Amino acid sequence: MSQPAVDIMERHQRDVLLSVKNLRTWFELRRLGFIRVGHVKAVDGVSFDLEAGEALAVVGESGCGKSTLARTILGLNPITEGRIHFDGMEAVGGYKPMKAYRAGMGFVQQDPYGAMPPFLTVKRVLEEPMLIHGIRDRGEIERRITESLTELKMTPVDDYLNKYPHMLSGGQQQRVVIARAKILEPRLIVADEPVSMLDASVRVEILQLLRTLQLSHNLAVLYITHDLSTVRYFAERIFVMYAGKIVEKAQVNQLLHNGSHPYTQALLAAISDPDASNAEEYREIPPGEPPSLLNPPDGCRFHPRCRHRMDGLCDQEIPPEFTIAQGHVAACWLYRGRDPVERGD
Ligand code: SF4
């Protein structure tokens, strides 16, 4: 699919929609309900900006914190530390400010069937967010429903309005969920593994529909996935997350062709059909499992699995981000001769 003509880095400097600064989302763990065991550090010091109209993918293994990051941005998890600003509002406060903060965001969940009340028809599923947010005009409600379903290629619209979720295929269910996510005309859609529960035959189609919506409405999309092979269909920039931290940030082509962090290289090696000319240079996936987020390793969290580990450095000091190229950074001591990125927290 074509990339937008606007230069990504140029746009980066002029229209920040979402700003995440030094975000920590920790969950207190208690045994027997009252003995404090510690904190699960699901998101631990994450910072980035997302531009209006930009598609950004966050990639990592299950349990790396990417879904917690998405839910914290959506206001569904409390912030332990750090700040999130979205479209001029901060993710703090009670019911009313958070309702206003969330109104500009749509959420596409992993499980489309579970995301919809089974006793509501498609029409009621799509009406509900408008009624919650005070849109009462019947003409406006029907216009938005028709427009959204048409954009999601669910036509003739009348064939779907009175169907219940169980009467739809998985791909159709996910289209309804996407239609609901955009019905309030948000500026950001957070899509958390939106195709991982769908048949392989419809995954690319759903991603292409999301991409078309993103470009035609200048929507920003935060695309959360464990599947690096799907990001080329969709995103402009990509972050790789490991054990609660972002370890590499790059534009998609930079990352696919020059993934620099050893963990990114392991993910690239795991793609069955890599679109990277030097993919054969990548070695096998390192042994072991991601660490416990209750008690993550000191220093670089990847060091117990890393074949490039430098004892006395990697196991003791947290690596800062080093510049690989313009718009491309990696948090790895292998690049310590390069410029460290200044933290703007
Ligand atoms: Fe490997 Fe060290 Fe880089 Fe971590 S900082 S990825 S342990 S080389």
Side-chain angles (χ1 to χ4, degrees), residues 261-263 300 302-303 306 308-310 314 319 331-334:
H261 192 281
Y263 177 62
C300 170
F302 191 58
H303 85 257
C306 183
H308 302 290
R309 170 181 67 243
M310 291 165 275
C314 298
C332 172
W333 286 117
L334 287 176

Side-chain angles (χ1 to χ4, degrees), residues 97-345:
M98 286 307 289
K99 186 179 172 188
Y101 167 86
R102 287 190 199 115
M105 300 180 183
F107 185 25
V108 178
Q109 293 98 319
Q110 182 177 20
D111 174 9
Y113 186 70
M116 290 184 282
F119 48 83
L120 294 186
T121 62
V122 167
K123 185 178 178 188
R124 289 282 295 118
V125 166
L126 296 178
E127 276 178 351
E128 201 177 37
M130 290 188 275
L131 296 175
I132 289 170
H133 285 272
I135 299 170
R136 308 277 173 199
D137 182 274
R138 286 310 311 173
E140 177 65 9
I141 288 172
E142 278 167 27
R143 181 192 70 76
R144 290 194 190 201
I145 289 175
T146 301
E147 183 185 291
S148 294
L149 289 177
T150 303
E151 283 187 308
L152 272 299
K153 302 203 183 312
M154 296 189 76
T155 54
V157 168
D158 287 344
D159 286 359
Y160 295 97
L161 289 177
N162 294 314
K163 288 196 167 158
Y164 290 89
H166 74 271
M167 299 163 78
L168 304 172
S169 68
Q172 289 170 339
Q173 289 168 358
Q174 195 58 299
R175 288 175 200 222
V176 175
V177 170
I178 295 169
R180 183 180 63 180
K182 72 163 288 288
I183 205 96
L184 292 175
E185 300 175 351
R187 298 193 71 196
L188 168 66
I189 287 198
V190 178
D192 187 4
E193 302 274 15
V195 295
S196 63
M197 291 185 71
L198 303 181
D199 288 346
S201 59
V202 297
R203 286 181 191 165
V204 171
E205 192 184 339
I206 295 292
L207 288 176
Q208 285 175 332
L209 279 171
L210 258 176
R211 179 67 163 165
T212 302
L213 282 182
Q214 181 232 338
L215 295 175
S216 58
H217 293 276
N218 197 34
L219 273 171
V221 177
L222 187 63
Y223 172 52
I224 307 292
T225 182
H226 69 281
D227 186 356
L228 192 50
S229 69
T230 62
V231 299
R232 80 189 71 167
Y233 296 109
F234 195 75
E236 294 146 10
R237 273 197 303 158
I238 183 166
F239 296 169
V240 178
M241 204 163 169
Y242 185 80
K245 291 185 175 293
I246 293 173
V247 298
E248 187 158 3
K249 301 175 181 172
Q251 294 182 40
V252 168
N253 285 337
Q254 288 175 316
L255 192 118
L256 290 177
H257 289 88
N258 188 30
S260 299
H261 192 281
Y263 177 62
T264 306
Q265 293 176 353
L267 290 181
L268 285 165
I271 299 178
S272 55
D273 57 342
D275 183 19
S277 58
N278 56 349
E280 65 275 9
E281 292 175 13
Y282 299 133
R283 301 178 187 134
E284 71 270 22
I285 299 173
E289 299 288 328
S292 161
L293 295 177
L294 185 61
N295 188 21
D298 290 340
C300 170
R301 291 185 178 180
F302 191 58
H303 85 257
R305 299 173 77 188
C306 183
R307 67 179 65 246
H308 302 290
R309 170 181 67 243
M310 291 165 275
D311 292 336
L313 178 59
C314 298
D315 53 350
Q316 292 179 17
E317 302 286 336
I318 297 171
E321 292 177 336
F322 293 101
T323 302
I324 307 298
Q326 188 181 11
H328 184 180
V329 299
C332 172
W333 286 117
L334 287 176
Y335 306 100
R336 60 193 182 284
R338 305 186 184 214
D339 293 336
V341 177
E342 278 186 34
R343 288 176 52 146
D345 308 334

